[in-house]
Each structure stands twice: as C-alpha cells, then as structure tokens.
Amino acid sequence: MALSPETFTTRKRRPGASFNTSKLSDLNLLFSLLQLTDQICSLDLNSSANFLFNRASCSAIRKTQLLGVVFEDLIRSSTVNPDSVVVPHSLFLCLEEMHIVLHKIKTLIEDFSNGSRFNLLMQIEIVADTFHRLTGELSTLLDVFPIQELTLNDDVRDLVLLVRKQCSESRPVIGTEQINLRREVVSVLDRIKNEIVPDQAHLSSIFEKLEIRDASSCRAEIENLEEEIQNRSEEQSKADLVALIGLVRFAKCVLFGASTPSTRSVSLRRSQSSEFAVPADYRCPISLELMQDPVVVATGQTYDRVSIQLWMDSGHNTCPKTGQTLSHTDLIPNRVLRNMIATWCREQKIPFEVETVTGKLNGGVTNKAALEATRMTVSFLVNKLKGIDNAPLSVEDTNGAVYELRVLAKTDSDSRACIAEAGAIPLLVRFLDVGMENPSLQVNAVTTILNLSILEANKTRIMETDGALNAVAEVLLSGVTWEAKANAAATVFSLSGVPAHRKKLGRKTRVISGLVNLARGGPEGARRDALAAILNLAADRETVARLVEGGAVSMAAEVMAAMPEEGVTILEAVVKRGGLVAVAAAYAGIKRLGAVLREGSERARESAAATLVTMCRKGGSEVVAELAAVPGVERIIWELMAVGSVRGRRKAATLLRILRRWAAGLDGGESEGMSTTTMVIPSTTTLAP
C-alpha cells in the first residue's frame, strides 16, 4: 500500500481562522503577545499527542515561555517609566510579525493535539517540518530584534540571545519510536488489503501506544478522521484516511466490543425528531426529512441524495417536484445549502450526521484496504450474532453488535452489500419482536434493515427473507417506541420504491393500517415517515383501493391542518387513482381543501386545486355544490390564477370553469368523457355503486 507522509497534506484551515493582528496600540500589542504566550504554555497536550509531537512541541512551548519573560519585561518598562523609554519603530514591526508566528504555533498545537491521532502519526514528518519552519521564522525575527536599542536588564538580554541561538540551531527531529509505529500501521493496512486479518495482540499494541483504549475513544478517533476527510481535496489523501477509518472501526469491534450510542446522542436524536420545527427549505421534498446531503438535479430542484437516488433507481426519469423529464441523472452537491443546514443544526444543538465514505471515493475508485476492513468487521459482528466460536451473547452484547451493523449500514453501498452478503438480514428480523424486553434492540434492528434497504439489491433480499415483511408490519403496528415505528414506516417507504414490491406491500393489511395509525397519532417525525410511505404506495392503483378501505383518505384530511402539504399531496394521489369510492371518502374534506387553497404554500395550493378538479370531474354536481359553498372560493381561485405556479394556475382555471358551468346548470362538472351522473353522498361518506 503506497502510504506516505506526502499523501497526508496539511489540513485546510477552518473558515474564520485568521493570523492577522488587530490594530493594536503599542502597549496593547505587548499585552496581547504576553496573553498569547500564556495560552501556548498552558495548552494541555494529552499524553499520546505529546508522544507523537515529541520534542518539537515541547521545544516550541519552552521558547514561547522564554519570550513571555521578554514581553513581560517590556511591559514593565513601558508602564513604570513611560517617558524615559525610547521605543524604536522597528520593535513593533517585529512584534507584529512575532504575534502572527506565535498564533500559528498555537493553532498547530491545538489542531493536532485535539485531532486524529492516526492522522498525526501518518503526518509526523510534516508536523516536524512545520514546527521547524515556524522556529526558523522566529529566528529571523529575533535576528532583527533591536536588542541594542532597548533598555533591558542583563538577564532579559541574555534570554533574547539564548532563544535566538536555540532557534537558529533548531533542526527537525523525529523519534525512531514514532517512525516504527507508523511503519507498523502501514504494515497492518497492507495485510488487510491482502485479505489477511490483523493479529489482535499486534493491533492492541498499536492502539495502546496511541492511548486509544476503549470504544468511546475509537468513536472519537473515527469522528476526527471523518472531519479530516472533509478538510481534504486530494483523492489519494482521502483514500488513505478512509482506510484508517476502516482499521479503527474494525479494532473498535474486535478489541473493545461493540457498543451502543451514548445517552446524550440518543436524546439529541429524539429531540431532533420531536422538538424542533425544521425549516421547509431544509427538508427533502421526497422524504420530508432534514436533508443530510442535499444535491441538485437537472431541473434545478434540490433533494437529499439518498431519496433522489432511490427515486431514480426505481426507474423514474422525472423530477418528483416538477414532473419534468430529467435531461441527465447527474447529482450536483448543494454545498451552500449543506453548510446552512449544518450551521442550523449546531445552533439548535442537534446532531448533523453525514454519510462517510468507507469503500469508494467520488462514485468510482474503490479503496481496497477500507473495503476489506469493512468485510472483516461485518464478518466479526455477524459471526458474533450467530454464536460462532463464542458463548451465547448477553442482551447488551447483542444490542451492541446490532448497533455497530446499524452504523456500518449507514455509511455507503459497499458496507450495505457486505452486511447483506454475510447473512445478517435473517438475524436482524429475529430481533424485531423483542420490543417489550429490549426496546433499544428493536430500534437498532429495524433501523439497520432500513439502512440496508437503501441498496437496490438488498430490497429484494429483504422482501424474500422469511417473515421480514410481517415482522416490519408488527413493529409498525405495535413497536414499543415511536422511533421503531417511524423507522419501520421508512423501511416500507424504501422498499416500495420498486413497483413489484409496492404491490406486495399494498396487499398487507397490517402494513396499511400501521401506516395510517402512525400518520394519525404519532409525533411529527414519525407521521412524516408514515405519510411518505403511504404516498409511495398510492402510486399503485390496486393498492389505492386498500388505502381507501384502511382510512387513508380521512386520515389525509385530518392531517391537513397540521401538515397541509403532506395531507393534500396524499389526497391528490389517492383521489386521482381511486375512482368514485375515493372521491366519496374525500367528500368531507372539501372544506379543508378550500382552506389549503386559501392559506397553504404554493405547492400545497397546487395539489389542492388538482385534487378538487379530479373530485369535481369524477364526483359530479354534489361535489361541485360542496365546493361552491366554501366562502369566497371564486376569489381564492382568481388569486391562484394570478400568482400560483404554472400548474396551479392551469388547475385553478379549470376549477373556475367547472364552477361556472355548474352555476349555469349545464352539468356537474367537466367529466372528460365520463358519465356526469350526479353522485349521492350518504351520511357514512361511503358510495354505493
């Protein structure tokens, strides 16, 4: 494996970091320098970072400490006898440059002591060279430091000369222990690349030297490596970091045992779904959830990558929002929106999870070491769940192993393929009925199945696994937590992206009743998952009849008050494909559609107009009369014709024409070749054919 320090280039600086000094007065500049030296000297290096930095960081800190004494003496001289001290202008030019160099030293130490330990190890030569370069800059500044023109006591003068001498004689030094450790890591990665499972004792020795001694420190290391990937632009550098992530993830499971998320992260995830109103622009138009990876399609609309990829993989070649045919299938990252979403999440103190690349970079180049590390991790976890060569697992260990599979299944398509190929799906299905005994295990199992279902090939595997659909339906109906129910609904949504699977799911009465019940009574996030799944199922005419029987129409009318866009979109889909029975079921919701037409968003108003047109055409004069009774309906329609979308204006014009024909007594609507027989709406709102 060609892994060299050159591939691990220095990270790009975070936005907002600056080494420019402020417009300081002479004395303020000295105070700022003294404060900066104090900050550098008080930096708390963890022992592993200290081991990796070795003499470089300690030497820089010692020199900074000595300079602090010089700055302190200059301040004392300036404040005790300000009139007798003649300060040359060159001194403050020198001090301004010194402020910049010291700021760089401080940032370098902070970045690497708080960042990834593996990344620091792989960059140890670059770090040493950077320290040496900054020391050289200090040496140059001390050479021009006007020591002869200043009134310094002898001790301070000697300090300046000492630091100058130390800086000028400085050489980049790297310890042999660090070089050997890096060589061991490269060797382990090469063995993984060649499909050789690393020796656990050797692996443990490496992690011990880096002081990564438990699952939580492994998680922190993975997060730091993922952050490093975001800071890199070179593909080879990214690939090597991805390989390190695979290594740490494997070691985490093998050395320290699988683990579940912290209580804090669970509470944050729950708060994200229940307490925060996500801005509409940050929601994916398909899944209605907060976008994690927004991308732009050919029509200029933005969707979450997973959702639009799922849409296109299901055979669609149109834009879901506009209905236009896509001229190409390229997905362009919307980085501006992603940064805005990330900023909003930070402000709300909720996690913003970004899918990390484990095996592939930019959609094509496979990283062999990362892929093999993933396979080894999956094999270890699945064998653990199967009980191969192990004593029976405790519930806690089982939950930990399933959670690790859940995390892996979220990363990328290679991981999803590895997990399914290892035979994990039947094992996960077994854990779906443990809700009362272990709600956390049920959540982790159903969420893992959801993540696996994103891969097209896995959809068929899940559908063909004995008992999988019944188990998902059972969680949907009687899952112990809302999170389990919501993720079961999201699984149905994902699986229903394939037309053949959609039909099979639509024949499951428990699936439909579970979705309708969840959409009626769940928290907002769970309701959105259920509504998205219902909308997908409504694409099949045969399933629409079952949705009407299951109460989906009345449910859609009920949710219109809280979620008008979602409710009216489902009503439009069901009425369009459901015939007179669906129209009859939707009859009671006409006034609510009128309210959406008056007050809803542009998209909701467009869908409401389209729904009303379909109902009037299919339902006859009774439906038109009910619409005409909505207060101010003609004015509302005129307004939509003036300011609505293209489709909204067209539907509004049709609706106005229908109302006027009815008022003139011509017929019950524009039936487009259908019978215009007046529909009778019984009190039960069901239609006798």
Side-chain angles (χ1 to χ4, degrees), residues 43-68:
L43 287 175
D44 183 22
L45 290 180
N46 58 58
S47 53
S48 65
N50 204 16
F51 159 70
L52 293 170
F53 278 134
N54 205 356
R55 283 178 289 178
S57 58
C58 294
S59 176
I61 291 174
R62 281 197 301 271
K63 293 179 179 67
T64 302
Q65 192 171 20
L66 295 176
L67 287 173

Side-chain angles (χ1 to χ4, degrees), residues 99-144:
H99 191 282
I100 295 173
V101 174
L102 291 175
H103 204 306
K104 287 180 180 179
I105 290 173
K106 174 176 176 282
T107 304
L108 181 65
I109 295 174
E110 285 177 337
D111 271 359
F112 285 104
S113 62
N114 297 325
S116 161
R117 300 176 187 183
F118 273 96
N119 179 55
L120 176 57
L121 175 65
M122 306 313 291
Q123 292 192 85
I124 200 70
E125 290 166 344
I126 293 176
V127 175
D129 287 340
T130 305
F131 271 116
H132 177 61
R133 178 175 55 79
L134 293 174
T135 303
E137 292 180 18
L138 270 182
S139 176
T140 302
L141 291 171
L142 289 171
D143 284 341
V144 298

